[in-house]
């Protein structure tokens, strides 16, 4: 079986190496269970890679261990309405590490059950089969009054979020009919004392609705936030808590696909994955900044 798997990986790698991935380096083809991957995360000091699929899939958190391969953790008390991204945070006082699942997908802008699920992964072991110690944080946008709003005001889908210190930051997937190339930024207290995600500012990304929609985010140890689109990465830095000031840097990937997930593997190396559509995608890539 291992010989067959090695042969299959070799064939996949050889085929992939013949393709043009622009500025991306091909790492591997993802397993079939992650064809609709929507979020990834890695924890500093751990080799585990965490991943989830989006709507229509089971409420399963996938973990990849280099020695054990992929294994699954189910969340029987949860429903995958539309899981779209992952983030993490380590409390330096208690030493506990938390993984956050963003159930924030909202294509039609009419959901009233948006949520973030906090999972204590400090003591999580490969032998575990179910997610335990889950805290649900309900989410409402401070400036949304109608469910759904008018088509030109549909700013309330979100596939990208991060935790930075005491706050979650959300970066909207702009689905307005009058697309203006901007993502709306929201902030929510991470301690669960409020469910009101406060609108902060609009950030101009780029003005083509085909390849300027934000699909994932991650933050490195310096606080730099990477935002992903289908063929671009934007790095936000030197921002303050309310994003009154910020710097933004653009990186063109020269490779278009349905990219859905981004993580910092190191402070200057990004891992990016895309969904599999027909015979393309379903891969894990690397980008060196």
């Amino acid at each position: 079986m291992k010989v067959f798997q090695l042969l299959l990986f070799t064939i996949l790698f050889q085929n992939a190496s013949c393709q043009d991935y622009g500025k991306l380096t091909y790492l591997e083809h993802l397993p079939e269970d992650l064809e609709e991957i929507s979020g990834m995360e890695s924890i500093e000091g751990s080799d585990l890679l965490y991943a989830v699929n989006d709507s229509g899939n089971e409420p399963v958190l996938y973990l990849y261990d280099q020695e054990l391969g992929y294994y699954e953790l189910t969340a029987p008390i949860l429903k995958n309405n539309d899981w779209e991204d992952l983030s993490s945070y380590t409390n330096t006082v208690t030493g506990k590490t938390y993984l956050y699942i963003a159930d924030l997908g909202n294509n039609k802008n009419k959901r009233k059950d948006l949520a973030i699920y906090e999972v204590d992964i400090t003591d999580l072991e490969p032998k575990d089969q179910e997610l335990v110690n889950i805290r649900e944080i309900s989410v409402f946008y401070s400036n949304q009054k109608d469910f759904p709003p008018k088509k030109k005001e549909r700013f309330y889908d979100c596939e990208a979020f991060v935790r930075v210190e005491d706050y979650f930051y959300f970066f909207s997937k702009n689905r307005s009919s009058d697309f203006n190339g901007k993502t709306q930024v929201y902030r929510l207290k991470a301690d669960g004392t409020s469910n009101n995600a406060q609108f902060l500012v609009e950030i101009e990304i780029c003005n083509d609705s085909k390849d300027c929609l934000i699909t994932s985010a991650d933050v490195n140890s310096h606080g730099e936030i990477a935002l992903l689109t289908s063929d671009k990465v934007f790095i936000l830095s030197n921002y303050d808590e309310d994003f009154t000031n910020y710097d933004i840097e653009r990186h063109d990937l020269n490779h278009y696909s349905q990219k859905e997930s981004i993580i910092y593997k190191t402070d200057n190396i990004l891992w990016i994955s895309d969904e599999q559509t027909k015979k393309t995608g379903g891969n894990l890539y690397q980008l060196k900044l």
Side-chain angles (χ1 to χ4, degrees):
M1 186 66 175
K2 289 184 178 179
V3 174
F4 172 76
Q5 290 175 332
L6 178 60
L7 177 60
L8 178 61
F9 179 82
T10 302
I11 294 172
L12 288 171
F13 183 81
Q14 288 175 342
N15 289 339
S17 63
C18 296
Q19 300 183 41
D20 181 12
Y21 293 110
K23 296 181 180 179
L24 298 175
T25 300
Y26 173 89
L27 294 180
E28 66 176 281
H29 187 72
L30 296 170
E32 290 184 3
D33 286 343
L34 289 171
E35 285 183 354
E36 297 185 32
I37 187 170
S38 60
M40 297 188 301
E41 184 62 311
S42 63
I43 310 298
E44 186 175 357
S46 171
D47 291 330
L48 286 175
L49 178 68
Y50 298 83
V52 293
N53 289 313
D54 58 15
S55 61
N57 291 280
E58 296 299 316
V60 174
L61 176 65
Y62 294 89
L63 288 78
Y64 176 65
D65 184 285
Q66 291 179 330
E67 295 181 359
L68 300 174
Y70 277 92
Y71 59 99
E72 304 173 11
L73 295 171
T74 60
I77 66 171
L78 303 181
K79 179 181 179 181
N80 184 347
N81 291 296
D82 199 351
W83 292 5
E84 287 293 355
D85 209 0
L86 295 174
S87 188
S88 63
Y89 174 75
T90 299
N91 187 314
T92 56
V93 176
T94 65
K96 287 186 173 294
T97 299
Y98 300 94
L99 188 74
Y100 298 97
I101 303 171
D103 193 349
L104 299 173
N106 192 16
N107 292 3
K108 296 182 180 179
N109 280 231
K110 66 179 184 180
R111 283 184 61 187
K112 294 184 179 181
D113 58 351
L114 301 173
I116 295 171
Y117 301 116
E118 179 188 78
V119 181
D120 183 349
I121 64 169
T122 304
D123 300 319
L124 205 59
E125 297 291 344
K127 65 179 184 298
D128 297 334
Q129 297 298 312
E130 294 185 357
L131 297 175
V132 295
N133 299 325
I134 300 173
R135 180 169 69 107
E136 179 177 350
I137 304 171
S138 299
V139 177
F140 300 93
Y141 295 109
S142 63
N143 58 344
Q144 182 172 10
K145 309 302 178 185
D146 300 313
F147 300 82
K150 297 177 181 179
K151 290 185 178 180
K152 64 180 180 180
E153 298 173 353
R154 296 192 175 179
F155 311 114
Y156 307 107
D157 185 19
C158 179
E159 297 185 6
F161 94 122
V162 294
R163 175 167 177 175
V164 180
E165 300 299 335
D166 297 329
Y167 293 99
F168 296 116
Y169 289 93
F170 306 80
F171 301 89
S172 71
K173 188 174 186 179
N174 188 337
R175 292 189 178 274
S176 62
S177 57
D178 297 335
F179 184 77
N180 61 4
K182 296 180 180 179
T183 179
Q184 292 196 339
V185 184
Y186 296 84
R187 182 181 67 185
L188 177 69
K189 289 184 177 179
D191 61 7
T193 57
S194 173
N195 305 116
N196 190 16
Q198 177 189 6
F199 170 68
L200 297 179
V201 69
E202 287 186 324
I203 293 179
E204 187 167 357
I205 300 298
C206 53
N207 202 20
D208 186 342
S209 60
K210 292 182 179 179
D211 58 18
C212 297
L213 300 176
I214 302 299
T215 59
S216 185
D218 199 31
V219 60
N220 66 11
S221 66
H222 300 307
E224 296 169 334
I225 298 174
L227 302 178
L228 178 69
T229 75
S230 55
D231 69 347
K232 299 175 180 64
V233 171
F234 296 85
I235 306 297
L236 297 173
S237 60
N238 300 320
Y239 53 86
D240 41 31
E241 281 190 351
D242 58 4
F243 271 83
T244 303
N245 302 289
Y246 59 88
D247 293 329
I248 185 167
E249 180 181 327
R250 171 172 165 166
H251 297 263
D252 292 313
L253 302 179
N254 301 328
H255 174 261
Y256 185 92
S257 66
Q258 191 173 339
K259 297 180 180 67
E260 295 284 342
S261 308
I262 190 168
I263 60 170
Y264 278 100
K265 197 57 182 170
T266 69
D267 284 336
N268 60 356
I269 293 179
L270 291 163
W271 279 11
I272 295 170
S273 63
D274 52 10
E275 286 195 14
Q276 183 165 331
T277 55
K278 296 183 179 180
K279 294 184 179 181
T280 62
N283 298 325
L284 183 65
Y285 312 93
Q286 179 170 283
L287 174 68
K288 292 185 178 181
L289 298 175

